[in-house]
Amino acid sequence: MTTTTTATVTPSAGTAPAGPRASWAAVLALAGFEARRLLTRLPVLLAFAVYAGWTVWRTRTSFEGFPALQDADRATQTAPLLVGLAVLLSVNQAVLRSRRYDTGRHFAVLVLPPWHRTVAHLLSLVPAVLLVAVCVGGQFGWEALKPGAVGNGSPGELLAGPLSVLLLGTLGVLFARLFASAFAAPLLLVVLFSFSMFAAMPQDGDAIRWLMPVVGEYSTRTLPSELLGRPAAWHALYLAGLALSVALAAVLVSGEGAGARSGSGDGSGPGRVLRGRFVGNRGVHAGLVGAVALTLLGAVTQAGGVPAETEEARMRYSTTPQDLQKCSERDGTTYCAFPEWTPRTDDWAEVVDRVRSLAGDAVRDRPLVVRQRVEARYGLAGDAAMTPLTDPNQVSVGTTWGGNRVPEFAVAVAGVLVTGKEAEASVMCDGRLVTVMWLALAGGAEPMADLSRIRVDDSTSGAAIVISETEPLSMTAAHTELVRELLERPREEVGAKVTAHWAELTTPEVTTDRTAHLLGLDAPEEADECGE
């Protein structure tokens, strides 16, 4: 007689019990696996390489080394969209992987139901989003650490880039759950591109364009941070709410909660039953309602336009800047700047002192007022020139600096030293213009290069318009010829003649030929008619 012995095997203490805890641990494990695959996909690697390379190359010389941080934060928004598009395509392909390789039927024996796998794919987006956030922070930090940085950045503007990547990634997951075709994601990109082109067109209001992830401003003007009027915080809330809504919608259409267990395969396609699509955990439904509410709150609030108090502040900054500025006196010159720009007065003073040192003794110690001005009444979209100041011995300076702005400011200082008023210097077209241009350019490190930079056509010959923060000057071909000859001669030699003949060189009656004679030059061969 054979005796059968039954042995009882006790699970080891290290074995994880089955249940919700084990299920969510599997979700996190799958999310980590998919995150690694996502970051190593060729489109994502190329996108990050281009993004990082472009950011480093551009930031080295951006804003000519003198960034306003309220502009620098917006400069971080566009490039992450490239990463977002790559993430959208890659995560869409990851979700559809089981259909491509016909392994969906094997998921029926796994612990994870379809909606858990969708959650894992959504969580796999987090490392890519965080990496973009690190890049955005690095770019903005680089700008903020530049010695010439001024102003204040906005956290809402800095969040736009990472949140755009998150939104595009969740759209990739949702479309994979809605459409089994691999062509759905490329078609989505076409739709998004078309909508972005439509939204970028001029509109009567801002409501449509603020529905896009990134809202740029096509302007060369820099405004004080309190005058921007951009609803950056509300836009960040809108993007976060929209990304969360799309993510929860992807979970719902995967078949979340208990209802999903009645489906089959990977929870997508014909095998999924309606009950599995829409019935399940009430928390997910409640979360989706809350996310949609946040999205609507952000969307409606961001479309409210520029607040009335911002419009009033823009008017004050544009018409009565003296009431808002801090002034300091240095070597006979008073520098008045808006609060965010007070560190920049040292750079202005360097240019003023350089121009003064070349002027005649009669005006070398003349008291000047350098007043910062901005035309903010038209917002960031406006590029209108400021009207010249009519008060004696006052010079306008703008809110941007570096590059061409330096010789432009030098021309403004020289014009006031020669004519006495900025308004008179702006309409000058006689021999005094030669003296003004020499004073402005001769003290620079690269006088001929500066002459090219301040002219609209970047030329050093012929007639041209000289760029200015206020009304531009008009140089005739004769003026250009004489200025070029003076800049090629030793500075001390020309400076002695300018000082000796200062009174006649700065009279309104002096002609270009007479100026050439006083400075030891032959009469110009080029034409001397203003407006050419």
Side-chain angles (χ1 to χ4, degrees):
M1 182 177 192
T2 304
T3 302
T4 302
T5 304
T6 303
T8 302
V9 179
T10 303
S12 63
T15 303
R21 181 176 299 179
S23 179
W24 283 110
V27 168
L28 295 178
L30 179 58
F33 171 79
E34 293 293 350
R36 289 190 295 273
R37 284 184 64 95
L38 180 64
L39 290 176
T40 55
R41 288 293 300 273
L42 182 59
V44 175
L45 288 175
L46 289 177
F48 268 111
V50 173
Y51 173 36
W54 166 257
T55 299
V56 171
W57 180 80
R58 182 182 180 278
T59 309
R60 289 183 305 109
T61 57
S62 59
F63 302 102
E64 305 289 352
F66 293 88
L69 298 184
Q70 57 265 37
D71 291 341
D73 56 9
R74 298 200 309 276
T76 65
Q77 296 179 357
T78 304
L81 290 178
L82 177 63
V83 176
L85 296 178
V87 167
L88 185 156
L89 290 172
S90 297
V91 76
N92 183 269
Q93 292 294 307
V95 178
L96 294 176
R97 189 187 306 123
S98 60
R99 283 195 166 272
R100 287 200 311 275
Y101 295 107
D102 193 25
T103 58
R105 60 184 181 274
H106 299 300
F107 288 148
V109 301
L110 298 181
V111 175
L112 295 180
W115 74 279
H116 274 189
R117 292 194 292 278
T118 299
V119 171
H121 283 292
L122 291 170
L123 291 177
S124 73
L125 301 172
V126 173
V129 174
L130 292 178
L131 185 55
V132 170
V134 170
C135 293
V136 167
Q139 180 181 354
F140 182 77
W142 189 350
E143 298 285 11
L145 292 175
K146 290 180 178 179
V150 296
N152 299 282
S154 166
E157 300 284 10
L158 295 174
L159 285 172
L163 288 176
S164 299
V165 175
L166 179 62
L167 174 59
L168 290 171
T170 56
L171 283 173
V173 176
L174 176 60
F175 262 61
R177 287 310 189 193
L178 288 175
F179 307 103
S181 173
F183 296 102
L187 288 176
L188 173 61
L189 296 183
V190 173
V191 172
L192 292 176
F193 178 77
S194 301
F195 181 75
S196 66
M197 295 296 293
F198 170 74
M201 296 173 62
Q203 305 289 334
D204 293 335
D206 291 337
I208 294 180
R209 72 187 188 116
W210 280 101
L211 295 178
M212 296 301 300
V214 172
V215 183
E217 301 287 352
Y218 303 99
S219 173
T220 59
R221 295 293 181 186
T222 294
L223 301 185
S225 54
E226 66 177 290
L227 305 185
L228 296 183
R230 285 173 57 90
W234 291 113
H235 187 61
L237 178 65
Y238 160 74
L239 291 177
L242 185 57
L244 182 58
S245 299
V246 173
L248 292 174
V251 173
L252 285 177
V253 299
S254 300
E256 54 80 22
R261 301 187 183 277
S262 61
S264 64
D266 65 349
S268 62
R272 182 178 8 174
V273 296
L274 292 177
R275 183 169 175 268
R277 291 189 66 170
F278 301 109
V279 180
N281 193 324
R282 294 180 180 179
V284 179
H285 290 84
L288 179 59
V289 172
V292 171
L294 287 178
T295 304
L296 292 176
L297 176 62
V300 171
T301 309
Q302 71 182 3
V306 180
E309 55 269 22
T310 302
E311 295 280 13
E312 295 172 1
R314 287 177 175 181
M315 179 65 71
R316 291 196 304 272
Y317 272 81
S318 301
T319 57
T320 57
Q322 63 274 10
D323 297 338
L324 305 163
Q325 293 176 336
K326 296 181 179 180
C327 298
S328 60
E329 193 274 336
R330 185 181 310 172
D331 297 331
T333 302
T334 301
Y335 299 91
C336 297
F338 297 122
E340 291 176 310
W341 274 267
T342 51
R344 198 161 283 176
T345 54
D346 292 339
D347 301 301
W348 301 342
E350 181 180 345
V351 175
V352 172
D353 294 343
R354 187 183 73 205
V355 176
R356 276 186 182 275
S357 67
L358 300 177
D361 295 335
V363 299
R364 189 168 295 171
D365 297 324
R366 176 190 293 174
L368 294 177
V369 176
V370 174
R371 187 172 302 285
Q372 189 176 37
R373 301 174 64 202
V374 63
E375 177 51 80
R377 285 172 288 188
Y378 308 103
L380 283 168
D383 287 321
M386 296 178 293
T387 57
L389 294 170
T390 56
D391 294 335
N393 304 321
Q394 291 202 15
V395 186
S396 297
V397 63
T399 53
T400 54
W401 192 250
N404 298 356
R405 305 292 86 79
V406 177
E408 288 172 19
F409 176 62
V411 171
V413 174
V416 172
L417 287 176
V418 169
T419 66
K421 293 183 180 181
E422 193 172 71
E424 183 176 347
S426 65
V427 297
M428 173 179 53
C429 190
D430 48 53
R432 292 176 297 175
L433 188 57
V434 176
T435 304
V436 167
M437 299 304 294
W438 182 82
L439 287 175
L441 304 177
E446 299 177 323
M448 291 301 295
D450 288 342
L451 175 61
S452 172
R453 292 189 185 105
I454 62 174
R455 291 156 66 97
V456 171
D457 59 357
D458 297 327
S459 67
T460 57
S461 62
I465 300 298
V466 177
I467 306 170
S468 171
E469 286 285 349
T470 58
E471 295 296 332
L473 301 176
S474 178
M475 289 184 70
T476 66
H479 292 148
T480 305
E481 179 184 341
L482 294 184
V483 170
R484 190 173 61 248
E485 291 183 18
L486 290 174
L487 293 177
E488 291 172 350
R489 294 193 174 193
R491 184 189 312 166
E492 294 75 14
E493 174 188 327
V494 178
K497 290 184 172 63
V498 168
T499 302
H501 302 286
W502 180 261
E504 190 173 357
L505 287 171
T506 57
T507 181
E509 289 75 25
V510 68
T511 64
T512 304
D513 287 349
R514 179 59 180 168
T515 298
H517 176 73
L518 293 173
L519 297 178
L521 303 176
D522 296 331
E525 299 178 357
E526 300 286 350
D528 189 26
E529 291 186 21
C530 291
E532 286 194 358

